Amino acid sequence: MQISRSDLADFAYFLAIARLGSFRRAATAMGVTTSALSHAMTALEARRGVRLLNRTTRSVTLTAAGEELRASIEQPMHAIEDAAGRLDRYRDAPAGRVRINVLEDAVGLILEPVMPVFVDRYPDVAIDVSVSNRMIDIVGSGFDAGIRYGGTVPEDMIAQRLSPDLRWIAAAAPAYIARFGMPRVPDDLSTHRCVGIRLGNEKLYHWEFERDGQAIAIATPGPITVDASHAAIAFGLRGAGIIYATEAVLRPFLDSGTLLPVLDDWSPMGSGFHIYYPGRRHLPTALRLLIDLIREVRPLRG
């Protein structure tokens, strides 16, 4: 039976479903509706006269025929995608679409200064940005890349640095310091109210401090725990407790005096932002252009 253009398009949809195990996630990754994706798979199975997917209300799995099809077409389809991406280098106006998952802090510090320039320079390139502090499988969730602090990038990914290392500091509102006093050493935090940090892997973060070669990690006490910087800052500004973040995130509030540095001489350096992506495929043109522009603009100057 001859291959049709419909088959080629539906094969790409089929591979997305096989990779993500979900019609909804595959539809998001491919930029179509879930209904359209379902109809495409039904039509492919009807044309080929064989069931490729086992569907239930909760999961999608491959049949034996589906597994064989996936094994046969996965590498050729990747080769076609790579070839199409390489052709974009010869366009006068680059085009394409890239999906990235980024930390909340990276939006303001990395993307905000860059995206106005990017959309002016590459109007035909679409960037789909998902903001989340949770650790996710970017491949399984349909993303081309992620942006995180260097120390949290999965080991099986290729990572490129986007910023210099960043200084981490504790801070509090003047009203809080006036009421409870200024800690002098990290151990003093045991008698203070601190806004705790829940990491993307659900673990509670121990605040890190360093001075003269001495490193300390403190399990901070306090009634509030957050998983987002904007929430910590909001509570800190209201005097609810001492907060902890990168100096770059807190700089506007430190400059205005609405937050004061705490244990400033104990502030350590931490790994800067990195963009990461799977290494088994050709780097999408849109992603390469974004990385190049971030390095050109150097939003954190390093």
Side-chain angles (χ1 to χ4, degrees), residues 21-23 25 54-61:
S22 162
F23 273 84
R25 290 198 296 268
N54 293 316
R55 304 168 174 87
T56 70
T57 55
R58 294 186 177 181
S59 66
V60 180
T61 59

Side-chain angles (χ1 to χ4, degrees), residues 25-104:
R25 290 198 296 268
T28 300
M30 299 300 290
V32 299
T33 65
T34 303
S35 176
L37 199 60
S38 179
H39 285 310
M41 289 302 95
T42 299
L44 176 61
E45 290 174 328
R47 288 196 306 274
R48 291 296 160 180
V50 62
R51 179 176 290 277
L52 301 171
L53 302 168
N54 293 316
R55 304 168 174 87
T56 70
T57 55
R58 294 186 177 181
S59 66
V60 180
T61 59
L62 302 185
T63 64
E67 291 284 4
E68 185 172 338
L69 177 63
R70 179 182 186 176
S72 299
I73 68 173
E74 193 164 30
Q75 289 305 317
M77 290 296 287
H78 285 338
I80 291 171
E81 291 175 3
D82 289 349
R86 285 191 291 270
L87 285 177
D88 277 345
R89 299 176 184 176
Y90 297 95
R91 291 172 54 100
D92 291 333
R97 176 175 179 263
V98 65
R99 298 187 71 227
I100 58 174
N101 181 273
V102 305
L103 283 172
E104 173 198 8

Side-chain angles (χ1 to χ4, degrees), residues 4-298:
S4 67
R5 283 180 293 177
S6 295
D7 282 335
L8 289 174
D10 291 345
F11 284 167
Y13 293 153
F14 166 78
L15 287 176
I17 295 168
R19 184 178 78 251
L20 300 174
S22 162
F23 273 84
R24 180 181 57 80
R25 290 198 296 268
T28 300
M30 299 300 290
V32 299
T33 65
T34 303
S35 176
L37 199 60
S38 179
H39 285 310
M41 289 302 95
T42 299
L44 176 61
E45 290 174 328
R47 288 196 306 274
R48 291 296 160 180
V50 62
R51 179 176 290 277
L52 301 171
L53 302 168
N54 293 316
R55 304 168 174 87
T56 70
T57 55
R58 294 186 177 181
S59 66
V60 180
T61 59
L62 302 185
T63 64
E67 291 284 4
E68 185 172 338
L69 177 63
R70 179 182 186 176
S72 299
I73 68 173
E74 193 164 30
Q75 289 305 317
M77 290 296 287
H78 285 338
I80 291 171
E81 291 175 3
D82 289 349
R86 285 191 291 270
L87 285 177
D88 277 345
R89 299 176 184 176
Y90 297 95
R91 291 172 54 100
D92 291 333
R97 176 175 179 263
V98 65
R99 298 187 71 227
I100 58 174
N101 181 273
V102 305
L103 283 172
E104 173 198 8
D105 289 353
V107 177
L109 297 178
I110 297 293
L111 296 184
E112 184 179 323
V114 169
M115 292 312 298
V117 181
F118 189 92
V119 297
D120 279 345
R121 188 176 296 183
Y122 308 113
D124 295 326
V125 175
I127 303 292
D128 186 344
V129 179
S130 176
V131 183
S132 174
N133 291 332
R134 291 185 175 274
M135 292 290 293
I136 67 165
D137 174 5
I138 61 167
V139 176
S141 300
F143 293 100
D144 297 291
I147 298 178
R148 304 193 71 83
Y149 294 115
T152 62
V153 172
E155 293 182 357
D156 60 344
M157 294 284 161
I158 291 177
Q160 295 193 45
R161 178 181 286 273
L162 298 180
S163 81
D165 288 345
L166 301 171
R167 187 169 181 254
W168 287 78
I169 66 171
Y176 177 92
I177 299 301
R179 183 179 178 188
F180 296 102
M182 177 69 77
R184 300 301 175 187
V185 294
D187 285 341
D188 289 349
L189 294 176
S190 63
T191 61
H192 279 266
R193 298 173 181 175
C194 299
V195 179
I197 300 171
R198 187 174 300 280
L199 299 173
N201 59 8
E202 294 299 323
K203 294 182 179 180
L204 293 179
Y205 176 62
H206 289 191
W207 294 8
E208 297 176 79
F209 298 95
E210 185 176 332
R211 187 177 72 177
D212 299 331
Q214 181 183 5
I216 302 174
I218 301 292
T220 50
I224 302 174
T225 302
V226 300
D227 64 358
S229 294
H230 73 274
I233 291 171
F235 295 141
L237 289 171
R238 288 288 185 172
I242 300 172
I243 64 174
Y244 186 87
T246 65
E247 183 178 22
V249 167
L250 298 181
R251 178 47 55 195
F253 309 101
L254 297 170
D255 288 345
S256 68
T258 51
L259 288 176
L260 301 176
V262 172
L263 300 169
D264 192 38
D265 56 341
W266 283 88
S267 298
M269 298 297 293
S271 183
F273 290 109
H274 288 64
I275 191 164
Y276 64 98
Y277 47 86
R280 67 176 183 271
R281 297 176 58 186
H282 174 71
L283 191 66
T285 298
L287 181 57
R288 177 178 55 80
L289 293 173
L290 178 61
I291 294 171
D292 289 347
L293 184 58
I294 291 172
R295 288 176 167 171
E296 176 187 330
V297 175
R298 294 171 61 201

